[in-house]
């Protein structure tokens, strides 16, 4: 017969508490017991107070940093980013249920695509909190954006809306329809809307040749003659010129510069191609 060793369980916290209470009563009676309980209770309250103080101090620090950052920016930039965050949160609320993952996706968008630093991310997170409880309709926010900004910033907004939507693994037909309605409400031309749509929708389909990508960047059909390509290039160069959105902040100027790099690369490809014929 094999001998089996039985492990004896150690007394739990409840047993220790009983033993401790009995020892206190034995050596000091009820007064000592009440003194110890009072000390532990006081220490507990003291700890809670310092935890609350630390939380309040950190919250105050964040709000102070956000306030200082906002005061250092132009009013146009503050309004642009604030409305942008509110609109993106409203889009996340489109299905009636905003998840932590959706809010995190918005924060990641600013961190990854716009390269926001920690101070700027504090600002975005505060804006997201405000937007999550804001009762204004999406139409109201879009109306403010449309009336407050020229065509180029509105075009940047539509680009960012599609970037956020296509940062998810799946984009529903309703979300695509919503993005299209937003563009139309902002009076984005049909030409610009189709060009943006084709680029993002194409990324979810089979890979195309580089020349097909260039056609999509310029918003033209394959086989377009060089004179039409030149007109499309000039039109886009005017819309996405960084100087037109520079007042909105360096990050949005960078967005325009990246777009201009794509446009210039596409135009250079066709210019080289047609000049070699």
């Amino acid at each position: 017969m094999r001998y089996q060793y039985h492990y004896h369980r150690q007394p739990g916290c409840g047993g220790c508490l009983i033993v401790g209470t009995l020892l206190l009563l034995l050596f000091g009676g009820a007064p000592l017991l009440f003194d110890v309980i009072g000390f532990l209770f006081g220490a507990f309250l003291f700890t809670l107070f310092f935890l609350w103080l630390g939380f309040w101090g950190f919250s105050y620090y964040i709000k102070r940093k956000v306030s200082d950052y906002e005061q250092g920016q132009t009013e146009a930039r503050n309004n642009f980013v604030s409305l942008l965050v509110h609109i993106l949160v409203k889009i996340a609320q489109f299905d009636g249920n905003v998840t932590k993952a959706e809010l995190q996706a918005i924060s990641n968008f600013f961190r990854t695509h716009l390269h926001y630093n920690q101070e700027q991310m504090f600002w975005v997170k505060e804006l997201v909190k405000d937007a999550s409880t804001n009762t204004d309709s999406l139409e109201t926010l879009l109306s403010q954006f449309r009336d407050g900004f020229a065509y180029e910033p509105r075009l940047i907004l539509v680009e960012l809306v599609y970037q956020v939507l296509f940062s998810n693994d799946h984009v529903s037909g309703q979300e695509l329809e919503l993005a299209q309605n937003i563009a139309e409400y902002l009076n984005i031309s049909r030409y610009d809307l189709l060009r943006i749509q084709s680029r993002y929708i194409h990324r979810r389909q089979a890979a195309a040749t580089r020349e097909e990508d260039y056609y999509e960047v310029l918003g033209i059909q394959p086989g377009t003659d060089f004179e039409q390509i030149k007109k499309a290039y000039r039109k886009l160069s005017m819309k996405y010129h960084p100087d037109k959105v520079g007042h909105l902040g360096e990050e949005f100027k960078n967005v325009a510069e990246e777009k201009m790099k794509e446009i210039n690369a596409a135009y250079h490809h066709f210019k080289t191609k047609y000049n070699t014929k």
Side-chain angles (χ1 to χ4, degrees):
M1 181 176 178
R2 177 180 290 184
Y3 174 75
Q4 293 181 341
Y5 183 81
H6 296 281
Y7 290 93
H8 295 282
R9 296 178 62 186
Q10 299 296 324
C13 293
C16 294
L17 184 60
I18 293 173
V19 171
T21 302
L22 291 175
L23 288 174
L24 289 173
L25 287 172
L26 179 64
F27 290 101
L32 180 60
L33 177 62
F34 286 123
D35 287 343
V36 171
I37 292 174
F39 172 79
L40 293 175
F41 184 70
F44 175 72
L45 292 179
F46 189 74
T47 302
L48 282 181
F49 172 74
F50 269 90
L51 287 175
W52 174 83
L53 188 64
F55 177 78
W56 179 85
F58 182 72
S59 299
Y60 176 80
Y61 168 78
I62 296 299
K63 291 180 179 179
R64 183 62 181 270
K65 294 285 285 184
V66 169
S67 177
D68 291 344
Y69 181 78
E70 285 184 331
Q71 291 176 10
Q73 309 305 312
T74 64
E75 183 178 357
R77 181 174 185 273
N78 287 337
N79 289 338
F80 184 88
V81 178
S82 178
L83 278 171
L84 173 61
V85 171
H86 278 70
I87 289 170
L88 294 179
V89 170
K90 284 296 178 185
I91 293 173
Q93 294 172 336
F94 179 66
D95 59 0
N97 181 32
V98 183
T99 64
K100 289 183 178 180
E102 288 175 319
L103 295 179
Q104 189 62 43
I106 294 174
S107 296
N108 289 340
F109 166 76
F110 281 91
R111 185 183 294 108
T112 303
H113 291 275
L114 300 184
H115 309 292
Y116 270 26
N117 59 31
Q118 189 60 49
E119 184 179 42
Q120 291 171 311
M121 288 309 301
F122 285 150
W123 181 37
V124 170
K125 289 178 180 178
E126 289 297 313
L127 291 175
V128 169
K129 287 181 184 177
D130 293 339
S132 299
T133 58
N134 188 283
T135 57
D136 289 339
S137 66
L138 178 59
E139 183 177 354
T140 299
L141 296 172
L142 290 173
S143 178
Q144 293 175 16
F145 198 96
R146 182 187 60 193
D147 297 340
F149 296 97
Y151 187 82
E152 290 77 18
R154 284 184 269 138
L155 197 58
I156 291 291
L157 170 61
V158 174
E159 284 273 358
L160 297 180
V161 167
Y162 273 89
Q163 279 190 29
V164 170
L165 287 179
F166 280 86
S167 65
N168 299 319
D169 294 331
H170 174 71
V171 182
S172 68
Q174 286 182 319
E175 288 174 320
L176 289 175
E177 184 180 358
L178 176 63
Q180 180 172 327
N181 291 339
I182 289 173
E184 292 174 352
Y185 192 86
L186 293 175
N187 294 329
I188 301 301
S189 72
R190 186 69 178 168
Y191 169 82
D192 287 329
L193 174 58
L194 291 176
R195 180 180 53 79
I196 294 171
Q197 283 180 336
S198 64
R199 289 184 61 245
Y200 285 96
I201 294 174
H202 172 73
R203 292 176 184 177
R204 292 293 171 89
Q205 299 171 348
T209 65
R210 177 164 294 189
E211 184 161 294
E212 287 174 335
D213 289 337
Y214 289 149
Y215 278 119
E216 290 185 354
V217 167
L218 296 177
I220 54 179
Q221 296 296 321
T224 302
D225 63 71
F226 186 68
E227 284 302 315
Q228 293 300 316
I229 291 174
K230 188 185 295 186
K231 288 181 181 179
Y233 167 73
R234 289 174 177 172
K235 188 176 181 181
L236 289 173
S237 296
M238 291 293 292
K239 290 177 179 176
Y240 283 102
H241 197 286
D243 289 346
K244 291 198 172 185
V245 294
H247 63 291
L248 301 178
E250 194 65 27
E251 68 275 27
F252 298 106
K253 187 176 180 180
N254 291 338
V255 170
E257 288 174 350
E258 289 299 317
K259 291 294 301 178
M260 279 304 304
K261 288 180 183 178
E262 293 182 3
I263 293 166
N264 286 330
Y267 179 67
H268 178 74
H269 168 81
F270 290 115
K271 185 177 179 181
T272 302
K273 174 183 176 180
Y274 281 89
N275 285 344
T276 57
K277 286 187 174 182

